[in-house]
Amino acid sequence: MRTNPITSIPCYVAAIVLTVSVFCRIPKAFSQAKSAAVSVNFDKDGHRVTRFSTVGDAIDAHDGEIALFNGTYYLYGTSYDCGFARGDKKAPFCGFKSYSSTDMVNWTDRGFLFDAQTPVWQTRCNGNTYGCFRPHVIFNERTKLYVLWINVYDNVSGYRVFTAKQPAGPFTEVAEPKLAVNSNMPAAGLNNGDHDTFVDDDGTAYLAYTDWRTKGSIIVEKLSADYLTGTGEYVGGITKGSTEAPGMFKRNGIYYIVYSDPNCGYCSGTGASYRMAKAPLGPWGESKKISDNSCGGQPSFVSTIKLGAGTVYLFGSDLWNHAAKNEAPANYYWAPLAFNDDGSIKPMTCEQAFKISPSNNKATPGKAAGLSYRLHGDIARNIQRRQSFKTAKSGMLTDISLTIFKNGYPDAGLQIDLYKADLTGAPIGKAVYSQTLTADAIGWAAKNIIIHPKVAVTGGSRYCIVLQSATATGVYGMAYNDDVKTTAGVESYSSNGGNSFSVEPNRVLKFAVMIK
């Protein structure tokens, strides 16, 4: 079955296939090779690639930025794994996460920036509100504190501010900031939106933000010396409206703002434009477009990456999940901007992959290595999937790791059965192990879940994993790849409740086994 049903989630991931091997521990098994420091956006067929953390979970940090502190990259973003959904009044707020990396390939989950599960933060940010988004972090050299700005909609300014001693926090909230624009408007309304924080060479910081009262024009306001609030010095109307998500940076004495043009929340494929100025508060020049679709996403940030003898200006866009209410499966496009001799930005070319060399800081096109996986959700009611494998040695099959997610609100659990299998991958006899995971035990973002069969196996024997659910609402899904040239196992699909299965050639589900 090559056509994806409506319940399919069309996003893609890059990981190491481990369908037949013995591995030491899950974290090492799913980490990507550090020698292949190529950051991949799309596979060879142009499908979106979702990045995994070093333990094999899909990265769950969206609409934020990448920042470089002390030689380490930090990815900040909004989490959707707990089930946050726009417009769903019962949906919880998940919080903000960070990941760290030394090469923008191997990302370590650093956890949440602060505890967002408290009643206060749920009231401010859950599905009964407009939500809370876009974490941006800058370092204040004078105070030696990292300063976090997030976009909220429960106060007048539209933002809340935090400080921490470390880039990944924990962050502590400080006083509500005051900004010049919309300061007399009522609280809990659409005042100010998507923003970016920018620190100039002299240590002066600025906030570039979206003014919703003018239907999406861009503002730049100078921040206080501690970066915790506005100063009232600003320039408004940099754009004329219908824009959002500014990313501000400086190159060779010229200031730039790149923004979504037009504004279109959670849309896939919105344009990206920019303006230039000789000073942060302008005057700002005319709009110039560099992409009609932001490589399939919506502009999110431009990060200034200073390494070696040069600087790279990394453009990021969120590859949204087709405006789904929950964006846990959303992906990312990251690649350096290119410039003409006069300082203008060249049109974006949407690189499949790229590599930044710390030694000379050159950004060069790269090539995806290994397999790229898609996330597909369709396991429900009559639809089942199974994957066979051959044991590498005799011993005790202690663990099976499966990369699983849910979409929607399943009203039944996910049943996992392990059978002995024949050469076609079909089950033989009764299940040797069975476990049902509750819906609450499975997140909206794809993560490794480990079951413990503790079944004695003989080397070279064949087994198969069967995944099924009786849910009448929502679906479960797994990562898979369709370009596997191996005889290690067979993946097959049933649409009639398991009465018959169809083999899907070259397809493999993402899983791993441990035999001791």
Side-chain angles (χ1 to χ4, degrees):
M1 189 199 68
R2 295 301 180 193
T3 58
N4 291 345
I6 294 176
T7 53
S8 167
I9 297 183
C11 53
Y12 308 88
V13 301
I16 299 174
V17 60
L18 291 168
T19 56
V20 294
S21 62
V22 179
F23 61 87
C24 296
R25 279 295 160 198
I26 295 295
K28 291 183 179 179
F30 284 104
S31 62
Q32 295 167 310
K34 292 185 178 180
S35 61
V38 176
S39 184
V40 180
N41 293 309
F42 310 107
D43 67 14
K44 64 181 181 61
D45 296 318
H47 298 132
R48 300 176 178 184
V49 169
T50 296
R51 293 154 172 91
F52 280 138
S53 72
T54 53
V55 297
D57 297 340
I59 291 177
D60 179 38
H62 311 277
D63 63 63
E65 67 167 350
I66 292 175
L68 179 66
F69 297 121
N70 302 318
T72 299
Y73 300 99
Y74 289 87
L75 170 63
Y76 300 99
T78 306
S79 171
Y80 288 83
D81 180 53
C82 74
F84 176 78
R86 294 174 297 112
D88 183 349
K89 294 184 178 182
K90 297 181 180 180
F93 174 56
C94 305
F96 300 105
K97 295 197 69 174
S98 69
Y99 297 79
S100 64
S101 174
T102 58
D103 56 12
M104 282 199 290
V105 174
N106 299 278
W107 291 96
T108 299
D109 189 339
R110 300 298 296 273
F112 288 90
L113 300 182
F114 60 89
D115 183 6
Q117 302 309 306
T118 63
V120 169
W121 281 104
Q122 290 301 310
T123 300
R124 289 174 174 177
C125 306
N126 66 13
N128 197 42
T129 71
Y130 289 113
C132 298
F133 310 97
R134 295 187 73 81
H136 284 255
V137 177
I138 49 179
F139 180 67
N140 190 302
E141 188 64 41
R142 185 178 66 84
T143 64
K144 304 301 181 183
L145 292 175
Y146 294 88
V147 180
L148 164 69
W149 282 68
I150 64 170
N151 180 210
V152 301
Y153 290 95
D154 71 308
N155 62 13
V156 173
S157 70
Y159 306 99
R160 293 195 179 272
V161 181
F162 306 71
T163 60
K165 295 181 179 180
Q166 300 296 331
F171 283 86
T172 301
E173 186 179 5
V174 299
E176 178 185 337
K178 294 182 180 180
L179 298 175
V181 178
N182 296 324
S183 60
N184 296 322
M185 292 297 168
L190 289 173
N191 293 334
N192 300 316
D194 289 353
H195 66 288
D196 185 28
T197 48
F198 164 73
V199 180
D200 208 346
D201 297 334
D202 63 359
T204 304
Y206 297 84
L207 184 74
Y209 58 101
T210 307
D211 175 8
W212 286 131
R213 295 290 178 179
T214 57
K215 299 183 179 180
S217 64
I218 303 299
I219 310 295
V220 172
E221 183 167 346
K222 182 180 176 181
L223 296 180
S224 59
D226 56 14
Y227 304 171
L228 304 183
T229 189
T231 61
E233 297 181 57
Y234 78 99
V235 58
I238 295 174
T239 60
K240 304 305 180 183
S242 299
T243 58
E244 63 178 328
M248 187 174 179
F249 65 98
K250 181 182 181 180
R251 177 182 181 272
N252 294 342
I254 300 175
Y255 297 84
Y256 298 78
I257 291 180
V258 178
Y259 48 89
S260 179
D261 182 15
N263 58 352
C264 186
Y266 291 105
C267 294
S268 299
T270 57
S273 296
Y274 75 99
R275 294 175 187 251
M276 303 163 62
K278 295 182 179 180
L281 300 183
W284 289 86
E286 295 298 315
S287 177
K288 299 178 182 179
K289 183 160 282 192
I290 53 175
S291 177
D292 290 326
N293 67 355
S294 301
C295 299
Q298 182 182 28
S300 182
F301 66 86
V302 178
S303 293
T304 302
I305 307 297
K306 295 182 179 180
L307 290 172
T311 302
V312 166
Y313 303 90
L314 185 71
F315 173 89
S317 63
D318 290 297
L319 305 184
W320 296 121
N321 184 32
H322 300 281
K325 292 185 179 298
N326 177 277
E327 290 289 350
N331 305 304
Y332 316 88
Y333 173 81
W334 302 334
L337 294 172
F339 297 83
N340 296 304
D341 292 340
D342 63 358
S344 59
I345 304 176
K346 294 182 179 181
M348 292 167 53
T349 55
C350 300
E351 300 293 341
Q352 178 198 8
F354 72 94
K355 179 179 180 180
I356 293 180
S357 172
S359 59
N360 58 22
N361 205 44
K362 290 183 178 180
T364 57
K367 183 178 181 181
L371 298 175
S372 297
Y373 287 79
R374 309 182 189 187
L375 293 182
H376 183 73
D378 63 358
I379 300 171
R381 298 172 294 279
N382 292 322
I383 298 178
Q384 299 182 13
R385 290 192 174 274
R386 70 187 184 196
Q387 174 70 54
S388 70
F389 63 94
K390 185 167 62 175
T391 56
K393 69 173 187 177
S394 299
M396 183 68 67
L397 198 168
T398 59
D399 303 297
I400 296 177
S401 172
L402 301 161
T403 306
I404 299 173
F405 65 96
K406 67 183 177 186
N407 184 25
Y409 300 92
D411 59 9
L414 176 66
Q415 182 176 329
I416 304 172
D417 298 314
L418 178 67
Y419 292 86
K420 289 186 176 181
D422 61 21
L423 292 176
T424 69
I428 298 174
K430 295 181 179 180
V432 297
Y433 176 82
S434 182
Q435 181 175 343
T436 298
L437 303 175
T438 65
D440 290 342
I442 299 174
W444 294 65
K447 295 192 297 295
N448 284 339
I449 293 180
I450 303 175
I451 61 173
H452 309 285
K454 296 182 179 179
V455 173
V457 298
T458 302
S461 299
R462 297 181 185 274
Y463 288 83
C464 73
I465 304 165
V466 179
L467 302 170
Q468 58 184 301
S469 177
T471 182
T473 61
V475 296
Y476 295 98
M478 285 190 64
Y480 73 95
N481 178 275
D482 276 341
D483 193 30
V484 179
K485 303 298 189 294
T486 178
T487 58
V490 177
E491 191 276 341
S492 54
Y493 165 90
S494 174
S495 60
N496 56 15
N499 291 323
S500 62
F501 279 79
S502 298
V503 173
E504 300 182 300
N506 298 326
R507 175 169 290 187
V508 65
L509 302 182
K510 180 176 176 291
F511 75 102
V513 300
M514 176 183 286
I515 300 174
K516 293 184 177 180

